[in-house]
Amino acid sequence: MASRNFVATTAFLGVLGAMNLCVPATLGVAVAQPVPQPSTPSPKLSEAASNWLTKWKATAAVARAERERAQAGLTAIQRLGPAAALDRQLREGVAALMRSETPPAERGLVAQAMFAEISVVDRENTEILRSALPPQGWFTDKTVATDAWLIAQHSFDRELQKVVLSRLEPAVRTGAVKGQEYAMLYDRLEMFQGRPQRYASQARCTGGAWRFADIESETEVDAKRAEIGWPETLNQTKTRLTIGAPC
């Protein structure tokens, strides 16, 4: 599941790159903008792209309604599961877009409309996580912990992300939390604050190719990953994410 989450995150950053919003100097400003509200497909889209987006929106609406039904009568912690499932499903739609035959010139427009709706779900999920967060420490159930991390990873609330990261740090040292999850949230926060990432967990589509966002020290990535129990090497990540390949 962690690799699927990683792909969803890199797809998100790739979309921002297609919208010229992934330059480190402006990234934090871009994501802090008011979230655009869902709208009808742009008239600039071709019929095929417009139909693709309309179909995705219908699927997303059904999935969102299913989340509400699944959460009825559940405790705050139990609601994390359906919330994270919806997060994954919607972002897998973005990954499908990037693999689709939609013309590259239109993918940014389609993705922008998709993320206008995904961001609403992210904010709803953030409130679910906030209500479920334990007074101290992190969730002990590994499935719940991963669901909670995923919601925090995609939250727009930087202060909440910092709180979650502080809870993950001692847990990752003991092996109670996956190193990759800690690394991804750490790097994401660094990027959104205009600083280079440490673990090379974040990639984006820029200049027509998949590339890592700025890294503190590429030669130290493997050692830094080993410290937190993330066994994948930088070269393995480059291969898995096809770094340098067209996007």
Side-chain angles (χ1 to χ4, degrees):
M1 187 65 71
S3 61
R4 288 171 58 196
N5 295 336
F6 191 97
V7 171
T9 298
T10 55
F12 168 58
L13 292 170
V15 167
L16 292 182
M19 295 160 55
N20 295 320
L21 295 179
C22 206
V23 178
T26 61
L27 183 58
V29 175
V31 296
Q33 297 281 339
V35 177
Q37 295 302 308
S39 59
T40 55
S42 167
K44 295 181 181 179
L45 296 177
S46 66
E47 182 178 0
S50 180
N51 289 341
W52 198 100
L53 177 59
T54 298
K55 182 178 179 180
W56 178 86
K57 284 188 174 185
T59 300
V62 171
R64 195 173 177 189
E66 289 177 349
R67 180 198 63 177
E68 296 306 311
R69 286 194 293 271
Q71 290 179 337
L74 298 183
T75 65
I77 292 178
Q78 291 171 335
R79 293 173 68 198
L80 291 171
L86 178 60
D87 177 306
R88 294 186 184 98
Q89 182 175 350
L90 297 186
R91 280 180 165 79
E92 284 168 0
V94 178
L97 168 67
M98 305 306 279
R99 296 190 302 266
S100 75
E101 296 181 358
T102 303
E106 293 188 296
R107 287 179 187 170
L109 293 173
V110 175
Q112 185 174 12
M114 293 172 74
F115 273 102
E117 302 209 5
I118 291 174
S119 63
V120 173
V121 172
D122 288 342
R123 292 181 185 278
E124 293 171 347
N125 284 353
T126 292
E127 293 310 309
I128 293 172
L129 174 59
R130 197 190 311 279
S131 65
L133 201 64
Q136 58 185 358
W138 192 236
F139 302 95
T140 55
D141 182 280
K142 291 188 175 181
T143 299
V144 172
T146 292
D147 288 341
W149 161 80
L150 183 66
I151 293 171
Q153 180 75 9
H154 293 150
S155 176
F156 284 83
D157 189 331
R158 302 293 166 239
E159 294 306 313
L160 178 63
Q161 287 182 320
K162 290 176 183 178
V163 169
V164 170
L165 188 67
S166 71
R167 305 280 185 92
L168 294 180
E169 185 168 9
V172 78
R173 302 297 177 182
T174 64
V177 167
K178 297 174 184 176
Q180 183 177 358
E181 293 177 355
Y182 172 81
M184 289 178 69
L185 184 55
Y186 180 94
D187 283 351
R188 191 172 181 84
L189 271 168
E190 291 299 285
M191 281 184 56
F192 287 155
Q193 295 177 87
R195 296 193 289 262
Q197 58 179 327
R198 174 170 296 170
Y199 301 102
S201 68
Q202 307 290 300
R204 61 178 181 235
C205 179
T206 181
W210 286 109
R211 306 183 193 281
F212 284 119
D214 290 346
I215 303 172
E216 283 180 1
S217 173
E218 190 165 326
T219 59
E220 296 181 12
V221 167
D222 287 349
K224 293 295 184 182
R225 288 182 175 189
E227 289 176 0
I228 59 171
W230 184 7
E232 185 173 78
T233 66
L234 181 60
N235 282 336
Q236 289 172 329
T237 302
K238 288 179 179 179
T239 300
R240 178 167 57 82
L241 296 181
T242 61
I243 296 298
C247 54

